[in-house]
Amino acid sequence: MTQPIASPTLDTLFKRILVRQPEALALVDPLNKQRITGQTRKRLTYAQADRAISAIAAHFIESGLPANSVIAVQLPSTVEFALTVLAAHRVGLIVAPLPLLWRQAELTVALNRTAARAIVTSSKIDGVSYADFAMNAAAEAFSIRHVCGFGDDLPEGMASLDQATLQDSRTSRSVIQDGRKAAMISFDVTSEGLRPVPRAHFSLIAGGLAMSLESDLAQGATIMSAFAPMSFAGLCSSLVTWLLSSGTLVLHHPFDEEVLETQVNDHACDTLIAPAQLALRLDEHDLSARMPSLRNVIGLWRAPEQVAASAAWTAQHAPLTDVYLFGEAGHFCARRNAEDGSPAPIRPGPHGAPRDVPGASIAGDILLTPKGTLGLRGPMVPAAAYAPLPPPGDTLIASAPRDFADTEYAARIDRATGTISITAPPSGIMAVGGYRFLAQDLQEWSRRLGHGALLTALPDRLSGHRLAGRAQDNARARDALTELGLNPLMVEAFRDRTNGTLT
């Protein structure tokens, strides 16, 4: 009896392209990589990338990392990010991407929650020593056995992955590449706090397919990815769309508008993947004339409730596809109306990819929950991670099965049109760009700073919220928050202001 063919992994997709076009250009570093990490910019063919992936994978094996263990990754949007993720998958490791904003406090929680065995980072990113963050967090995480990084001046005890790629070790191990196996663990913030969200390879591929099919991403595309990769949507919009297109991935570390424009034109990029608000701003500044090679734009909305009221898209030569992001729960996509550039109407129920093509594969299902929030269901949605907690005292009683994830975004259905409207973000959760946190955390940090300190979140059209703080001594407040291991959004809320007001 023939065995069923296993669904592919990301490494399977990479190796398929490698066999067909080993000398084709695969990965291109940001133009300003020297400033970002202090390292030389790289351009790798598929064959060159494969050698680097194999060398890093060999290092993981020789370091004693067993298959199915978790490896935490905190890297900028450079080729090292793509190489590390694919190397980890090649030897059966599970990747836990950690946002660059996270510092010691959040890193330590994430490492302990996932029982990570290793952490990978860069020596410095934008002049900040991420190697020190990793070493300090690893010292507080009992499970960590190995810390490694890219770049110069790595601290004692941190292994160099740059050296590993130069050694070109051929150590390998047999791993069954099956898309049903765990691929990543990302972190969401819900009303119940920080939530680890595990995903299999097929779920990642489903997320990338939803984007590439709805946007009609061409085979062999040259993709400019300007969205931070350290999340489910970030991986789908960079690594996965690239592998599905069999093209070239040009990376941009967010954000420098002049560098972005130069990269798009220098590499004749035909596809731009970026935060939607950024894409709309480029459209306002004559994207058609400034980036004439673009034929496709994919805009990711961290605040999906803002899509309906957004400006019309005018660059007709490069249609815009809106991607509605719901934290780590999942996303859905809709290409804008070709006639007037307005957002496409969203209706509840199953939606295909592409959305308007009869008989298209079902990408997911949108529903309104009984409590008036938006629910998602489908191959990319890890419903089990969002299942409600069992009632207190009834731990032996199984909760009712639920095959959808509640995003906690308030929504309603318009009776006249039958379309669904997303009206508000989750209650009690603040978002500054891609960083989400509980509103009660602000009160907790203010209390730690003592009498007279105030930390608040103000509404912001572009990023959802922005943080502002006030204390009797702002410099001392910044130092105190830094010592607590908090991220720079919290710390810089107490920056000195000339007008003495919250801004």
Side-chain angles (χ1 to χ4, degrees), residues 62-78:
E62 292 163 1
S63 300
L65 294 174
N68 301 315
S69 55
V70 175
I71 176 170
V73 176
Q74 190 177 41
L75 290 169
S77 189
T78 61

Side-chain angles (χ1 to χ4, degrees), residues 216-493:
D216 195 20
L217 184 63
Q219 282 295 295
T222 302
I223 301 169
M224 162 59 70
S225 177
F227 192 86
M230 296 287 101
S231 65
F232 169 62
L235 277 171
C236 289
S237 62
S238 56
L239 209 59
V240 184
T241 51
W242 162 56
L243 294 174
L244 290 171
S245 74
S246 306
T248 302
L249 179 63
V250 183
L251 294 160
H252 178 82
H253 181 68
F255 171 68
D256 185 316
E257 187 169 340
E258 185 176 339
V259 169
L260 176 72
E261 183 175 341
T262 302
Q263 284 186 275
V264 168
N265 291 329
D266 283 355
H267 299 286
C269 296
D270 50 61
T271 302
L272 172 64
I273 303 177
Q277 294 283 14
L278 164 62
L280 287 168
R281 192 171 82 189
L282 293 174
D283 186 42
E284 289 175 4
H285 293 97
D286 201 5
L287 176 142
S288 300
R290 291 168 57 191
M291 304 179 197
S293 64
L294 286 181
R295 292 295 177 268
N296 204 345
V297 178
I298 302 174
L300 283 70
W301 291 89
R302 293 190 179 103
E305 70 277 7
Q306 297 179 358
V307 180
S310 63
W313 183 255
T314 63
Q316 294 186 354
H317 78 295
L320 173 67
T321 299
D322 293 312
V323 182
Y324 296 66
L325 304 182
F326 300 94
E328 296 299 300
H331 55 255
F332 59 79
C333 316
R335 202 168 195 183
R336 293 220 168 184
N337 295 319
E339 294 78 14
D340 60 4
S342 62
I346 303 298
R347 290 181 171 81
H351 56 94
R355 182 174 290 270
D356 295 328
V357 176
S361 299
I362 298 301
D365 195 358
I366 303 167
L367 59 139
L368 194 66
T369 73
K371 62 179 186 179
T373 55
L374 189 85
L376 296 179
R377 180 166 45 203
M380 80 174 75
V381 179
Y386 289 85
L389 296 173
D394 293 332
T395 53
L396 297 180
I397 301 175
S399 58
R402 195 179 73 177
D403 63 348
F404 69 92
D406 185 352
T407 68
E408 300 184 358
Y409 278 78
R412 61 178 178 82
I413 295 177
D414 188 294
R415 292 183 180 180
T417 63
T419 59
I420 199 161
S421 299
I422 305 163
T423 56
S427 176
I429 296 174
M430 302 292 181
V432 180
Y435 178 70
R436 285 155 57 102
F437 55 95
L438 293 175
Q440 66 191 39
D441 288 345
L442 295 183
Q443 301 170 9
E444 174 62 25
W445 301 130
S446 293
R447 280 197 295 269
R448 292 196 185 193
L449 291 172
H451 179 70
L454 171 67
L455 184 58
T456 188
L458 304 174
D460 184 87
R461 185 176 66 87
L462 293 178
S463 60
H465 292 88
R466 53 193 170 93
L467 296 181
R470 182 173 59 197
Q472 293 177 352
D473 186 334
N474 279 347
R476 182 174 295 180
R478 288 196 302 272
D479 292 342
L481 292 176
T482 301
E483 289 174 7
L484 287 170
L486 297 188
N487 70 67
L489 285 177
M490 299 288 187
V491 175
E492 288 306 306

Side-chain angles (χ1 to χ4, degrees), residues 65-72 93-96 114-119 144 185:
L65 294 174
N68 301 315
S69 55
V70 175
I71 176 170
L93 301 178
I94 302 165
V95 175
T114 58
R117 297 288 292 268
I119 183 169
I144 292 290
I185 301 175

Side-chain angles (χ1 to χ4, degrees), residues 51-119:
R51 287 192 289 272
I53 291 165
S54 294
I56 295 170
H59 178 83
F60 291 153
I61 297 171
E62 292 163 1
S63 300
L65 294 174
N68 301 315
S69 55
V70 175
I71 176 170
V73 176
Q74 190 177 41
L75 290 169
S77 189
T78 61
V79 300
E80 286 78 12
F81 150 73
L83 299 177
T84 301
V85 172
L86 290 173
H89 288 160
R90 182 164 294 185
V91 292
L93 301 178
I94 302 165
V95 175
L98 306 177
L100 291 183
L101 276 173
W102 283 12
R103 297 297 189 256
Q104 185 175 341
E106 289 155 313
L107 290 178
T108 303
V109 171
L111 296 177
N112 283 321
R113 291 285 296 274
T114 58
R117 297 288 292 268
I119 183 169

Side-chain angles (χ1 to χ4, degrees), residues 174-197:
S174 178
V175 174
I176 297 174
Q177 294 291 336
D178 188 340
R180 295 167 296 184
K181 288 188 171 184
M184 73 176 289
I185 301 175
S186 55
F187 295 88
D188 204 352
V189 175
T190 69
S191 56
E192 295 162 358
L194 190 68
R195 184 187 297 257
V197 182

